[in-house]
């Protein structure tokens, strides 16, 4: 026994961890690597999360310790994903906590508005500096024929998401919809919670903060649903999105003129499925991870390609952003309360800003503008023909497939500007598609050449269009299955995911926003 214990002396342990082999093995798990950021679905995240969750399961009944532990892990996760910008996140957290209390305790309406203005302007200034400085200088150079040098500014990962979340929090405090959180620990937890930190959903404080007041209830059903969503998100991301991107979309959008009209059209369909699977896959994993910890995040995607019009599409696509733009931009601009013309202008402005939020480029503005124009035309048509636009009137009927077809193709067309490197590339893709002719022999040859990618795309559309009742039955069956069945399915999905992957997991598309 003494001989056995001698192996666990301080000197022996120190010698073990001091060996270069052990340090080389462990260091990647603790040090930020710009070329290999921490991503959901990666092997490194799986190892780190298993260790994190094992400890979490032993302390989650201890409120303060649990909150501190998850907060520290969230900051560590952000460091592993974005490096030293974690200090910017901390600064934003401290600033918005203090500003929210100044708003809450201000004794006059003027002071409340003053502190709210400081909160909004400071958050937008940070976002503007990191995201739009280069864009602003480039446009000055273009229009004024100057030669100002744009600084080399690196965009912090997820900055748009946590700054929008901070703005909504301060605004809700101002409107007395929520009370300013007294606990700095709880507020930090809310703003930095790692599942939704870098790519949403954008979480409202009034939906999330009440969950911090008591010990989270982690039921077997929640655990099962959480694992199901993680698996679904992993399949969407690694099996469908990354494969379609690497084997079709990236190649054709890089040089559309080298490919046939049919291949360009295929790339547009492919990217439409890619971005959906990529972003909704992240949201699924984020919601699933939160469920494993006992917290509920709002749904962010609801089968958007089943939409029969653009209004419905934006109720189903990136729901947390579209609702944020509605509540904190469209309604403050006046919404639909100041006549038709003003309503149309407000819609167009909101969609332009929504496009610019996605990226510092005129092509994103064009993408948002297309959706703004579509929303205006849709409202005009509904007004002329007295068609109701209420949510409950969106029931399936004999004309639904036609409207779904039209809406999907408009969305796919607008995504050309979203994906293309520049306007010229987007126009090249469109020009190639317009040359499309149906020649059965050539068509069959091209389908044969891309049959594997087409199969993955069709698989993505199949998953998307499965009736919700069937999805619900599958999810409940998985959630209620024995643990050994869950582990077996987990192993199979991970094995398939890494077998299909042709390289390391690609960064999520919305990380750049």
């Amino acid at each position: 026994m003494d001989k056995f214990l001698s192996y666990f002396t301080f000197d022996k342990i120190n010698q073990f961890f001091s060996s270069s082999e052990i340090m080389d093995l462990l260091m990647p798990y603790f040090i930020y690597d710009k070329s290999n950021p921490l991503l959901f679905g990666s092997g490194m995240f799986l190892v780190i999360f298993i260790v994190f969750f094992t400890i979490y399961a032993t302390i989650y009944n201890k409120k303060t310790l649990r909150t501190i532990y998850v907060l520290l892990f969230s900051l560590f996760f952000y460091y592993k994903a974005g490096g030293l910008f974690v200090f910017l996140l901390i600064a934003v957290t401290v600033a918005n906590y203090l500003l929210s209390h100044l708003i809450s305790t201000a004794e006059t309406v003027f002071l409340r508005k003053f502190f709210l203005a400081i909160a909004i302007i400071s958050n937008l200034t940070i976002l503007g500096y990191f995201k739009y400085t280069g864009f602003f200088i480039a446009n000055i150079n273009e229009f004024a024929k100057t030669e100002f040098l744009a600084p080399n500014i690196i965009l912090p990962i997820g900055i748009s998401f946590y700054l929008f979340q901070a703005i909504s929090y301060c605004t809700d405090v101002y409107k007395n919809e929520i009370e300013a959180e007294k606990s700095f620990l709880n507020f930090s937890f809310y703003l930095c919670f790692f599942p939704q930190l870098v790519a949403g959903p954008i979480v409202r404080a009034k939906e999330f903060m009440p969950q911090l007041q008591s010990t989270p209830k982690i039921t077997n059903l929640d655990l099962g649903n959480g694992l199901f969503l993680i698996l679904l998100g992993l399949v969407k991301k690694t099996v469908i999105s990354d494969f379609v991107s690497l084997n079709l979309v990236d190649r054709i959008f890089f040089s559309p003129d080298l490919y046939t009209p049919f291949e360009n059209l295929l790339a547009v369909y492919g990217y439409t499925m890619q971005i959906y699977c990529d972003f909704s896959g992240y949201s699924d994993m984020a919601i699933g991870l939160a469920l494993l910890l006992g917290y509920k995040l709002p749904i962010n995607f609801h089968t958007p390609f089943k939409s029969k019009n653009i209004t419905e599409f934006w109720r189903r696509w990136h729901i947390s952003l579209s609702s944020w733009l509605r509540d904190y931009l469209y309604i403050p601009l006046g919404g639909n309360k100041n006549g038709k013309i003003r309503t149309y202008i407000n819609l167009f402005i909101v969609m332009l800003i929504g496009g610019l939020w996605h990226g510092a480029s005129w092509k994103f503005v064009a993408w948002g503008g297309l959706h703004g124009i579509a929303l205006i035309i849709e409202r005009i048509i509904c007004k002329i023909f007295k068609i109701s636009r209420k949510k409950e009137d969106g029931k399936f009927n004999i004309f639904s497939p036609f409207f779904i077809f039209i809406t999907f193709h408009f969305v796919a067309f607008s995504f050309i500007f979203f994906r293309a490197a520049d306007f010229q590339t987007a126009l090249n893709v469109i020009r190639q598609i317009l040359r499309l002719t149906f020649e059965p022999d050539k068509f069959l040859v091209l389908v044969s050449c891309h049959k594997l990618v087409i199969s993955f795309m069709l698989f993505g559309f199949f998953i998307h269009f499965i009736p919700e009742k069937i999805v619900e039955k599958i999810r409940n069956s998985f959630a209620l299955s024995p643990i050994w069945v869950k582990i077996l399915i987990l192993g199979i999905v991970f094995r398939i995911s890494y077998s299909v992957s042709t390289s390391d997991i690609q960064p999520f598309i919305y990380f750049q926003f």
Side-chain angles (χ1 to χ4, degrees):
M1 185 66 174
D2 291 339
K3 186 176 181 180
F4 174 77
L5 291 175
S6 69
Y7 287 103
F8 294 90
T9 63
F10 178 81
D11 290 338
K12 292 286 187 180
I13 294 173
N14 186 54
Q15 182 180 353
F16 175 79
F17 283 102
S18 297
S19 65
S20 59
E21 293 84 0
I22 297 299
M23 292 305 294
D24 289 343
L25 183 65
L26 293 178
M27 288 307 288
Y29 288 90
F30 295 96
I31 302 299
Y32 169 66
D33 181 0
K34 181 180 179 181
S35 63
N36 187 31
L38 189 62
L39 303 173
F40 289 170
S42 66
M44 180 179 290
F45 179 78
L46 177 63
V47 172
I48 291 174
F49 183 77
I50 288 174
V51 174
F52 161 78
F53 187 75
T54 301
I55 299 173
Y56 180 83
T58 65
I59 66 169
Y60 86 97
N61 279 317
K62 302 173 182 177
K63 181 181 178 182
T64 303
L65 182 60
R66 178 188 71 244
T67 304
I68 294 173
Y69 177 65
V70 176
L71 175 59
L72 290 175
F73 181 81
S74 296
L75 295 174
F76 169 72
F77 171 82
Y78 191 85
Y79 165 71
K80 283 290 295 174
L84 295 180
F85 283 118
V86 67
F87 293 109
L88 175 64
L89 173 63
I90 293 171
V92 167
T93 302
V94 172
N96 281 278
Y97 173 77
L98 294 175
L99 285 166
S100 67
H101 277 272
L102 289 173
I103 294 168
S104 177
T105 57
E107 296 181 356
T108 65
V109 174
F110 173 78
L111 283 177
R112 287 172 63 84
K113 289 182 178 180
F114 175 73
F115 290 127
L116 175 64
I118 291 177
I120 294 173
I121 291 171
S122 60
N123 283 309
L124 291 180
T125 299
I126 294 170
L127 183 63
Y129 171 75
F130 283 103
K131 196 166 185 176
Y132 302 106
T133 298
F135 176 67
F136 181 69
I137 292 175
N139 280 281
I140 289 178
N141 289 338
E142 177 71 23
F143 291 107
K145 305 303 179 184
T146 54
E147 296 182 356
F148 295 115
L149 292 177
N152 184 23
I153 299 173
I154 300 172
L155 183 66
I157 189 171
I159 188 171
S160 298
F161 290 94
Y162 65 75
L163 287 177
F164 267 33
Q165 196 159 302
I167 290 172
S168 69
Y169 174 80
C170 289
T171 303
D172 288 349
V173 169
Y174 169 79
K175 295 191 294 185
N176 292 318
E177 292 187 4
I178 58 172
E179 293 183 3
E181 176 57 51
K182 295 179 180 178
S183 167
F184 176 69
L185 194 59
N186 282 351
F187 175 75
S188 301
F189 187 106
Y190 156 71
L191 199 62
C192 302
F193 188 44
F194 75 92
Q196 43 72 228
L197 177 58
V198 295
I202 301 171
V203 180
R204 306 289 182 88
K206 57 187 174 185
E207 298 171 349
F208 189 79
M209 297 295 275
Q211 299 182 54
L212 304 182
Q213 303 307 316
S214 58
T215 300
K217 297 178 181 179
I218 308 176
T219 65
N220 289 333
L221 187 62
D222 285 338
L223 286 172
N225 286 334
L227 287 173
F228 179 84
L229 287 170
I230 292 169
L231 290 177
L232 180 61
L234 189 64
V235 169
K236 286 180 178 179
K237 170 60 177 169
T238 62
V239 177
I240 301 172
S241 179
D242 286 356
F243 189 87
V244 172
S245 171
L246 292 169
N247 293 280
L248 177 73
V249 174
D250 291 352
R251 298 175 184 177
I252 293 175
F253 271 91
F254 181 75
S255 187
D257 291 335
L258 297 180
Y259 294 89
T260 65
F262 173 75
E263 288 170 312
N264 276 265
L265 179 62
L266 196 62
V268 173
Y269 289 145
Y271 183 69
T272 304
M273 179 49 58
Q274 177 200 340
I275 191 172
Y276 166 71
C277 286
D278 190 285
F279 194 21
S280 71
Y282 180 93
S283 294
D284 289 341
M285 285 189 270
I287 296 169
L289 288 167
L291 273 177
L292 294 185
L293 304 181
Y295 300 98
K296 292 178 173 58
L297 299 181
I299 186 173
N300 209 24
F301 289 86
H302 184 208
T303 55
F305 300 144
K306 293 179 181 178
S307 304
K308 294 176 283 298
N309 53 65
I310 300 303
T311 299
E312 184 181 357
F313 173 79
W314 281 104
R315 291 193 188 114
R316 292 170 172 265
W317 176 275
H318 203 345
I319 298 168
S320 64
L321 175 64
S322 57
S323 63
W324 193 100
L325 291 172
R326 178 196 65 207
D327 294 343
Y328 300 102
L329 189 56
Y330 178 68
I331 292 176
L333 283 172
N336 58 2
K337 294 182 179 180
N338 297 309
K340 292 184 292 184
I341 301 300
R342 183 58 187 272
T343 297
Y344 299 153
I345 292 173
N346 291 342
L347 278 173
F348 193 65
I349 290 173
V350 168
M351 295 313 298
L352 287 179
I353 293 175
L356 192 60
W357 177 89
H358 283 84
S361 170
W362 287 112
K363 68 189 185 75
F364 289 109
V365 177
W367 173 77
L370 285 171
H371 278 268
I373 292 170
L375 288 170
I376 292 169
I377 293 174
E378 183 181 292
R379 282 177 175 253
I380 292 173
I381 292 173
C382 290
K383 188 75 174 178
I384 292 172
F385 293 98
K386 297 182 179 179
I387 301 172
S388 174
R389 297 175 53 258
K390 294 181 180 179
K391 295 180 185 179
E392 57 267 26
D393 290 342
K395 297 178 181 178
F396 196 88
N397 57 52
I398 192 171
F399 299 108
S400 293
F402 171 75
F403 291 120
I404 291 172
F405 179 85
I406 296 298
T407 301
F408 171 80
H409 279 82
F410 170 81
V411 169
F413 169 77
S414 67
F415 273 138
I416 295 174
F417 296 93
F418 199 100
R419 173 59 182 84
D422 48 48
F423 275 110
Q424 188 57 54
T425 303
L427 294 175
N428 289 346
V429 170
I430 295 169
R431 185 175 63 249
Q432 284 289 82
I433 292 173
L434 290 175
R435 293 173 177 168
L436 184 66
T437 58
F438 182 67
E439 301 176 62
D441 293 340
K442 291 183 180 180
F443 174 78
L444 292 175
V445 170
L446 289 170
V447 168
S448 178
C449 291
H450 298 286
K451 60 184 177 182
L452 191 56
V453 174
I454 292 174
S455 297
F456 277 79
M457 288 168 54
L458 291 175
F459 179 55
F461 283 110
F462 172 76
I463 290 176
H464 179 276
F465 282 98
I466 294 176
E468 292 179 26
K469 290 183 179 179
I470 295 178
V471 174
E472 191 68 24
K473 287 182 180 179
I474 294 172
R475 183 168 63 183
N476 287 336
S477 297
F478 175 86
L480 298 173
S481 65
I483 186 64
W484 68 267
V485 174
K486 292 186 178 72
I487 293 173
L488 178 62
I489 295 174
L490 278 167
I492 292 172
V493 171
F494 272 98
R495 185 71 184 91
I496 292 173
S497 296
Y498 288 103
S499 296
V500 169
S501 298
T502 55
S503 65
D504 293 335
I505 293 177
Q506 303 298 302
F508 289 89
I509 293 172
Y510 269 67
F511 274 17
Q512 64 186 293
F513 308 136

